[in-house]
Amino acid sequence: MQATSYAGEPYKVRIVDRSRFDKRFWPVTVDAPISAPAGSILIDTQQRFLYLIGGNGTAKRYGVAVGAAGHRWSGAATIGRKAVWPAWYPTDDMHQQTPNLPRRIDPGPGNPLGARALYLFEGGADTLYRIHGTSEPWTIGTEASSGCIRMLNEDVIDLYDRVNEGAAVWVR
């Protein structure tokens, strides 16, 4: 059954049974790992955590999946765009690796970007990296993506509602 809070979504949000996953990847409030403005994001790719910095020395920590070996990106960026149930356009590199990959995948529960996407920009240009939802919850805590940061759909919806375009993002 779909949760009431997701009743307005254009597609069904499949709620994950978190009891089947490591508790360290459940959302929790923790001491902020860095001093940064509220609304900033730190992604720790080694620990597989995304921290949304709060204004009182705390942060909301979420479990994430990160880029597989050879696909990792690190650096400073900003949220240059936000999208609800976005279409996915695989990159040229992805098409070289998977020749029959479609040029576009429509929004919906089977779309690799999931329910929300936060687009990372560097110097005003799209890095082609995203923080996005996933329909593959078993990948959280792993190195599974082509460089993007994956979150459970219900977590990325929560993050999306808390983050503004222009927010600083550090990936390390």
Side-chain angles (χ1 to χ4, degrees):
M1 172 157 246
Q2 187 164 331
T4 306
S5 62
Y6 300 116
E9 291 290 324
Y11 305 98
K12 183 176 181 175
V13 177
R14 294 184 186 109
I15 306 304
V16 171
D17 178 0
R18 292 183 193 262
S19 69
R20 299 176 59 199
F21 299 95
D22 190 331
K23 283 188 175 187
R24 69 189 170 113
F25 297 117
W26 294 14
V28 63
T29 300
V30 297
D31 290 337
I34 61 170
S35 177
S40 300
I41 294 173
L42 170 67
I43 300 166
D44 181 336
T45 59
Q46 294 299 313
Q47 296 296 315
R48 317 292 195 278
F49 294 134
L50 181 150
Y51 297 89
L52 174 60
I53 306 302
N56 55 359
T58 64
K60 187 160 186 183
R61 186 183 78 194
Y62 304 87
V64 297
V66 299
H71 295 284
R72 293 187 191 120
W73 177 84
S74 62
T78 58
I79 303 297
R81 178 174 171 246
K82 294 171 47 171
V84 174
W85 291 99
W88 181 51
Y89 298 88
T91 65
D92 290 340
D93 288 345
M94 291 174 185
H95 282 108
Q96 287 177 355
Q97 293 174 5
T98 311
N100 295 327
L101 198 59
R103 289 282 168 205
R104 179 183 193 273
I105 296 180
D106 291 333
N111 181 304
L113 295 183
R116 304 286 187 276
L118 305 172
Y119 296 73
L120 302 181
F121 280 58
E122 187 176 38
D126 189 348
T127 64
L128 301 180
Y129 292 98
R130 319 281 183 243
I131 300 168
H132 63 80
T134 184
S135 58
E136 299 175 339
W138 57 88
T139 64
I140 300 302
T142 70
E143 296 177 354
S145 75
S146 294
C148 292
I149 306 300
R150 292 182 184 178
M151 302 177 75
L152 296 178
N153 276 321
E154 56 263 43
D155 291 350
V156 79
I157 290 169
D158 181 62
L159 179 68
Y160 181 97
D161 291 341
R162 296 170 184 267
V163 174
N164 295 318
E165 284 187 19
V169 179
W170 296 276
V171 180
R172 61 179 189 196

